[in-house]
Amino acid sequence: MNRRAVITGIGVVAPSGNSASEHWKTVVAGENRIAPITHFDASAYSTTLAGEVRDFVPEEYLDRRLIVQTDRWTWMSLAATAQALTDAELDPSTIDPYRQSVALAASTGGNQFGQREMQRLWSGSTHTVGTYQSIAWFYAASAGQTSILHQMKGPSSVLVAEAAGGLDSLGYAARAIGRGAADVVLAGGTEAPLCPYAITASRRSGWMSRQTDPERAYLPFDADAAGYVPAEGGAIFVVEEEQHALRRGAPYVYAELAGYAATQDGRTSRPWGDTTVEPPSRYLAAALRRALDRAQAAPGQTDVVFADAVGVPAADRAEADAIRTVFPDGVPVTGQKGLLGRASQGSSALDVATAVLAMRERTLPAFGALPNPAPGCELDFVAAPQRAAIDIAAVAARGYDGFNSALILRRPEGVSL
């Protein structure tokens, strides 16, 4: 029996807006949401800009007791989950709890909660940390709290591969459904890395932009690319077995998770772009090829690629090379991180949200911060939103220290759209 995994619900909490509809409007309008960091005084740091989630009120989604026990990244994850379940018109209490799973991506965990407790430990009069420090910072906190809140008791996991994790979680969801382990999986991820210690840790990579002009700070594939701007937020999805969704009368089926693949460079990311041993593009290219093969889709059938677009010159060249290798006849390339920032696995999940909304709206969104391509980065960038029938979309993502993932989304066949 062919058990196909489809997306039936989307939830978004991101710099682009606190719902899928707000996110889509921002993306189509090409609005730049990068601005000076307001969560703390970042004036002494080399990176002072970020994509912050604005006007987010966790009390609109969560009980106050849960807010006290958890970090901002979990608040956003639970809020996006609530949106996704509402969008899918799915009440978990009406389904066998052992047929429901949670597979979320995580990167750095509860940063702001941990920052506060570390300051309390070393600077406070009691030199202690709060009771909930042991669980709020933990990278599995969002997945665990989601499982508990919605009583989802099927096999659940946390995928940790930095920015590639958002795609890995959806790949896990598709496998769990395909092998019959679950009928419903919550997948995706959020991030909240905007606090002193998280920024300090991340900037050690040397990849973060030091530019102070929001319009010029994050320019993927551009001749003036100088690194990425950090961000928070992400997206959560309801992924269902297709027949399960149809039987219960799901209001909409956005896309099929048609193919997924992941590879590992087997080398540190610090010399990313060093081709003295092997071209670094081959690993991302392999992930894209394998994902297309598993989707039984040819490169020429692909309507758009959502690029990883990290903004590091050597990495951008490697990604451009991988895209040209896999799609030798060319393919439209887009991505909005240059306007929103890079929120680790939250951004790759957000790229998937943009892709499935583009399918629904039959519109190719423009590449954010359209580049003046650096040598080796010449691709078919989408210059302005354009009407298009998008049947197959590819999403690429890479994580620090060599993680590469690719996801192929297909417009469902035989489903009313």
Side-chain angles (χ1 to χ4, degrees):
M1 179 179 178
N2 184 23
R3 290 173 54 89
R4 300 199 296 183
V6 296
I7 293 174
T8 57
I10 303 173
V12 171
V13 178
S16 47
N18 296 326
S19 69
S21 60
E22 288 181 9
H23 167 70
W24 179 249
K25 289 177 183 177
T26 299
V27 164
V28 173
E31 296 179 19
N32 190 324
R33 293 296 177 87
I34 292 172
I37 294 172
T38 64
H39 289 326
F40 68 98
D41 181 4
S43 59
Y45 292 77
S46 58
T47 295
T48 61
L49 301 176
E52 292 184 346
V53 172
R54 307 174 184 178
D55 304 319
F56 174 58
V57 182
E59 288 83 359
E60 294 180 356
Y61 299 94
L62 308 175
D63 184 274
R64 181 63 187 172
R65 290 172 295 181
L66 186 55
I67 292 173
V68 170
Q69 297 172 20
T70 52
D71 179 81
R72 181 174 172 86
W73 76 296
T74 298
W75 303 345
M76 292 189 291
S77 181
L78 293 173
T81 295
Q83 292 177 25
L85 290 170
T86 298
D87 186 38
E89 295 184 7
L90 179 67
D91 180 356
S93 68
T94 65
I95 301 171
D96 181 351
Y98 296 98
R99 301 296 301 168
Q100 301 178 79
S101 298
V102 179
L104 300 182
S107 184
T108 55
N111 292 292
Q112 293 187 17
F113 197 108
Q115 176 80 41
R116 185 182 69 239
E117 295 304 311
M118 284 194 295
Q119 291 178 192
R120 175 178 171 180
L121 174 65
W122 298 109
S123 303
S125 59
T126 61
H127 295 291
T128 61
V129 296
T131 303
Y132 299 113
Q133 168 66 9
S134 61
I135 58 173
W137 73 270
F138 189 42
Y139 66 89
S142 292
Q145 294 289 359
T146 301
S147 300
I148 294 168
L149 183 63
H150 297 292
Q151 289 296 287
M152 294 179 163
K153 300 179 182 294
S156 298
S157 293
V158 179
L159 289 301
V160 183
E162 210 257 325
L167 302 190
D168 293 345
S169 69
L170 287 157
Y172 177 98
R175 287 199 301 269
I177 287 171
R179 68 173 183 263
D183 295 321
V184 175
V185 183
L186 292 177
T190 58
E191 181 73 286
L194 305 181
C195 68
Y197 97 79
I199 292 291
T200 298
S202 296
R203 69 179 183 171
R204 294 293 297 171
S205 69
W207 297 354
M208 291 175 65
S209 174
R210 299 188 177 199
Q211 299 295 323
T212 57
D213 179 358
E215 300 295 330
R216 303 291 300 168
Y218 191 0
L219 300 172
F221 301 106
D222 194 272
D224 293 328
Y228 73 88
V229 170
E232 58 182 355
I236 303 293
F237 305 91
V238 174
V239 182
E240 287 187 73
E241 194 276 319
E242 184 181 52
Q243 294 305 311
H244 181 274
L246 295 177
R247 283 195 302 271
R248 72 170 184 85
Y252 195 80
V253 176
Y254 287 93
E256 177 192 355
L257 302 180
Y260 158 80
T263 63
Q264 229 292 335
D265 291 2
R267 58 192 292 174
T268 177
S269 290
R270 186 163 295 279
W272 216 354
D274 178 3
T275 59
T276 58
V277 179
E278 289 181 291
S281 62
R282 67 176 295 182
Y283 307 105
L284 178 59
L288 283 164
R289 283 200 191 97
R290 293 180 183 189
L292 284 166
D293 287 346
R294 290 167 184 171
Q296 298 182 336
Q301 295 175 296
T302 306
D303 298 300
V304 62
V305 171
F306 284 78
D308 179 58
V310 72
V312 177
D316 287 348
R317 289 193 299 271
E319 181 173 20
D321 186 42
I323 291 172
R324 283 192 297 267
T325 299
V326 177
F327 303 97
D329 296 326
V331 63
V333 175
T334 191
Q336 289 69 48
K337 295 185 184 72
L339 301 177
L340 308 177
R342 182 177 184 270
S344 296
Q345 80 286 336
S347 280
S348 52
L350 197 61
D351 282 344
V352 174
T354 308
V356 297
L357 291 170
M359 283 183 169
R360 184 188 69 180
E361 300 299 328
R362 297 179 179 270
T363 299
L364 276 178
F367 190 96
L370 188 67
N372 171 27
C377 292
E378 300 87 356
L379 296 169
D380 183 14
F381 297 107
V382 181
Q386 54 187 264
R387 297 290 292 171
I390 304 169
D391 295 317
I392 295 178
V395 184
R398 294 171 295 176
Y400 188 81
D401 270 348
F403 297 96
N404 308 279
S405 296
L407 181 70
I408 306 302
L409 301 162
R410 177 186 285 121
R411 183 186 298 277
E413 298 176 2
V415 176
S416 177
L417 292 176

